[in-house]
């Protein structure tokens, strides 16, 4: 069965519990194989909001990428996500980071999906938990292991903005 690597985030209290519920709900879409440690991170894009709790999940799923994205968006709504504004506060955010070793693009009327996630190498809140689960995983487009992407990002940033909860 294909494996999807998902990024999870929440910054509306109780954020950790929202991630717990999301991890539990993901079992309706397949088998949750592994969950990273939860991390606390500063918001990016719109700074005037609470910190985020983030994690990464490996999900074995029968759904192909576009169908999985639609299921994830439905799950977000079921878990209480309501539209706000770009990079604004959210009860839950579920993103597909990787799907097996494929590169994928789909832009239908409702959602755009790019796999691997196009900005994951710029995001400490993704790379840090990802490095706990898949440090040697080779990014299918950048052809570098996750641990190297994390080190390169930290070298550019100079200091970490995330910590394990």
């Amino acid at each position: 069965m294909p494996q999807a690597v998902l990024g999870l985030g929440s910054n509306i209290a109780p954020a950790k519990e929202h991630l717990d519920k999301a991890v539990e709900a993901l079992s309706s879409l397949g088998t949750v194989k592994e969950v990273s440690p939860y991390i606390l991170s500063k918001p990016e894009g719109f700074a005037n909001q609470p910190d985020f709790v983030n994690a990464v999940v490996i999900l074995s799923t029968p759904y192909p990428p576009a169908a999985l994205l639609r299921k994830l968006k439905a799950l977000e709504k079921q878990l209480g996500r309501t539209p706000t504004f770009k990079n604004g506060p959210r009860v839950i955010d579920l993103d597909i980071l990787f799907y097996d070793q494929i590169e994928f693009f789909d832009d239908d009327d409702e959602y755009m999906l790019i796999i691997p996630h196009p900005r994951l190498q710029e995001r400490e809140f993704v790379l840090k938990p990802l490095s706990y689960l898949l440090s040697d995983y080779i990014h299918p487009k950048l052809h570098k292991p996750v641990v190297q992407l994390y080190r390169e990002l930290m070298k550019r940033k100079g200091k970490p903005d995330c910590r394990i909860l």
Side-chain angles (χ1 to χ4, degrees):
M1 198 170 331
Q3 290 203 36
V5 180
L6 309 176
L8 287 68
S10 175
N11 73 332
I12 295 178
K16 184 183 176 304
E17 285 80 3
H18 291 306
L19 261 64
D20 290 341
K21 287 178 184 174
V23 169
E24 184 178 315
L26 285 170
S27 65
S28 69
L29 304 180
T31 303
V32 174
K33 303 296 257 183
E34 290 188 74
V35 180
S36 74
Y38 288 6
I39 64 160
L40 190 65
S41 65
K42 298 288 180 198
E44 291 187 14
F46 176 68
N48 190 17
Q49 60 182 319
D51 289 349
F52 278 83
V53 176
N54 297 96
V56 169
V57 169
I58 299 173
L59 178 73
S60 185
T61 182
Y63 296 103
L68 178 60
L69 179 63
R70 287 189 298 278
K71 295 280 187 186
L72 292 173
K73 294 302 175 189
L75 199 56
E76 286 179 347
K77 288 177 186 168
Q78 179 186 327
L79 292 169
R81 182 166 182 176
T82 55
T84 56
F85 53 90
K86 185 174 174 67
N87 296 321
R90 46 203 168 272
V91 168
I92 193 68
D93 189 23
L94 303 171
D95 291 320
I96 302 172
L97 305 174
F98 297 116
Y99 189 97
D100 281 341
Q101 277 292 127
I102 69 166
E103 291 182 45
F104 182 86
F105 176 82
D106 185 36
D107 189 7
D108 65 19
D109 292 337
E110 199 170 3
Y111 304 111
M112 182 182 344
L113 176 59
I114 303 171
I115 299 172
H117 191 287
R119 292 176 306 284
L120 74 87
Q121 68 275 6
E122 303 162 10
R123 295 177 167 173
E124 181 185 354
F125 65 87
V126 171
L127 290 174
K128 185 173 185 114
L130 190 56
S131 67
Y132 280 90
L133 299 184
L134 296 168
S135 64
D136 295 330
Y137 180 84
I138 305 295
H139 189 294
K141 191 168 187 164
L142 301 177
H143 308 291
K144 295 178 180 181
V146 166
V147 68
Q148 182 179 348
L149 295 173
Y150 181 62
R151 285 184 190 134
E152 289 172 358
L153 176 65
M154 296 316 298
K155 191 173 188 178
R156 286 191 307 271
K157 287 180 75 168
K159 66 179 182 92
D161 291 325
C162 301
R163 66 177 176 84
I164 296 174
L165 286 180

